[in-house]
Amino acid sequence: MAIIKPSLVIGVGGTGYWILSLLKRQLYINYGVKASETDEIKFLLLDTLSEGTFEEYKEKNDESIIAEYQVNRGEYIHLSEPPEGFFNWADDPEKYNIPRYRWFRRDILKQYVQEDARWKLREGAAQIRQFGRMAFFFNINKIAAAMNDKLSKIKKHAGNATIPVWIFGSYAGGTGAGMMMDVAMLAKLIQEEYKHSVQNIGCFVLPEVYSDKLTTSIAQGYSGSGNCSVLPPKARKKSIKPRKLEKTIPAK
Ligand SMILES: Nc1nc2c(ncn2[C@@H]2O[C@H](COP(=O)(O)OP(=O)(O)OP(=O)(O)O)[C@@H](O)[C@H]2O)c(=O)[nH]1
Ligand SMILES: [Mg+2]
């Protein structure tokens, strides 16, 4: 399978899922590669949908795609809430009021999103990017372990070559748009910590793609483009020098 460049492909949110499935289908059709059975190219899907909801979603959305192309369990990370629920978590200052979450506008969110039901992430992040971003941080240990595991397997084929880390999603929702920059930063942290060599490449569809859906907000795409501001100013100008992984990932 030397024709395929060893790569890690990460999908975030519903659009990420679609792109991963279609890419797996193309790999199979073009190269006869069952993507889940090779270590040269690895897939990882991050979504807030609970595993049950995700299975239902696959059934509803993927009638034309056969099982071999579908994202399988080993490739899916469910970004779960804390045991007490996100809504209750956000009422405990000891949990949310810490420097790591200084970007989290709990004050605004509690004022405008008052229903407990909308804070339940298992159906998605309700197009709220801060919900998607928080879902990433709730599960950062799981995500980092999966990314490192997959990069280590790919490295056996890539040798010393830089491994592209593709990050696919949309700017139209909450899950993918909320965590895209953090996923890229985490890949860089893992590179430093575990001596991988990675290059991030992000591909995000704009909200116009979903303009036929009543819930889509074009303003989302515009404000989502401000996501790059999560990078420290120096990193935007020069090469990124991330902090040590253990300083970013909370102890269990
Ligand atoms: N009503 C409806 N809206 C859709 C559908 N597909 C996509 N959308 C809209 O497009 C947005 C972006 O889609 P995704 O890329 O799947 O969003 P996501 O990253 O999973 O984010 P969230 O679902 O908001 O957590 C969604 O939040 C929906 O508003 C659909 O089949 N029906
Ligand atoms: Mg979604």
Side-chain angles (χ1 to χ4, degrees):
M1 210 186 86
I3 202 160
I4 291 170
K5 187 174 168 108
S7 313
L8 175 60
V9 185
I10 302 177
V12 285
T15 304
Y17 166 65
W18 262 107
I19 296 171
L20 255 57
S21 306
L22 294 171
L23 192 55
K24 289 177 90 173
R25 179 163 68 172
Q26 283 315 115
L27 276 172
Y28 191 67
I29 291 169
N30 293 355
Y31 305 110
V33 173
K34 283 189 193 167
S36 304
E37 292 175 8
T38 172
D39 279 344
E40 287 190 66
I41 183 159
K42 287 288 195 197
F43 293 83
L44 185 63
L45 176 66
L46 312 176
D47 203 348
T48 40
L49 296 183
S50 68
E51 299 216 13
T53 316
F54 179 62
E55 291 301 320
E56 282 170 31
Y57 178 83
K58 282 206 300 193
E59 275 167 31
K60 269 192 243 156
N61 288 276
D62 251 353
E63 283 159 30
S64 60
I65 298 180
I66 64 168
E68 277 163 349
Y69 315 146
Q70 286 190 350
V71 173
N72 64 37
R73 279 181 187 274
E75 294 166 332
Y76 183 57
I77 294 188
H78 166 221
L79 304 178
S80 54
E81 295 175 46
E84 69 273 32
F86 186 21
F87 188 80
N88 294 331
W89 180 93
D91 283 333
D92 183 348
E94 284 195 10
K95 291 183 177 160
Y96 69 76
N97 198 11
I98 57 173
R100 189 185 313 126
Y101 301 138
R102 62 187 178 277
W103 48 268
F104 180 55
R105 294 306 305 265
R106 181 224 174 249
D107 51 341
I108 296 175
L109 291 164
K110 278 278 174 177
Q111 188 182 346
Y112 291 103
V113 189
Q114 291 177 355
E115 314 84 1
D116 184 356
R118 287 191 66 201
W119 288 69
K120 293 204 186 316
L121 301 178
R122 61 172 177 259
E123 302 288 337
Q127 285 189 300
I128 300 170
R129 289 200 314 281
Q130 293 217 341
F131 282 8
R133 191 172 186 199
M134 196 53 93
F136 172 87
F137 279 96
F138 287 148
N139 295 274
I140 192 167
N141 290 307
K142 244 187 329 188
I143 300 167
M147 280 169 72
N148 182 40
D149 176 58
K150 286 177 191 284
L151 284 168
S152 303
K153 287 180 175 144
I154 298 164
K155 201 174 181 175
K156 289 181 189 150
H157 296 273
N160 293 328
T162 297
I163 300 171
V165 176
W166 294 88
I167 305 168
F168 290 113
S170 92
Y171 264 135
T175 302
M179 68 184 64
M180 55 179 286
M181 293 307 292
D182 296 294
V183 172
M185 287 299 284
L186 185 59
K188 287 288 174 187
L189 289 169
I190 290 169
Q191 160 176 278
E192 295 287 305
E193 192 75 8
Y194 297 102
K195 308 291 171 231
H196 298 298
S197 172
V198 303
Q199 181 185 28
N200 287 309
I201 308 156
C203 303
F204 274 68
V205 303
L206 297 175
E208 279 87 348
V209 169
Y210 293 114
S211 53
D212 59 322
K213 316 283 188 223
L214 291 176
T215 49
T216 303
S217 160
I218 300 298
Q220 262 306 96
Y222 172 74
S223 55
S225 65
N227 277 354
C228 294
S229 64
V230 303
L231 293 178
K234 272 190 189 163
R236 272 178 264 151
K237 285 190 196 140
K238 297 181 188 168
S239 64
I240 298 170
K241 288 253 186 295
R243 295 188 306 164
K244 285 262 179 230
L245 192 59
E246 70 270 18
K247 286 192 188 149
T248 300
I249 296 188
K252 276 197 177 163

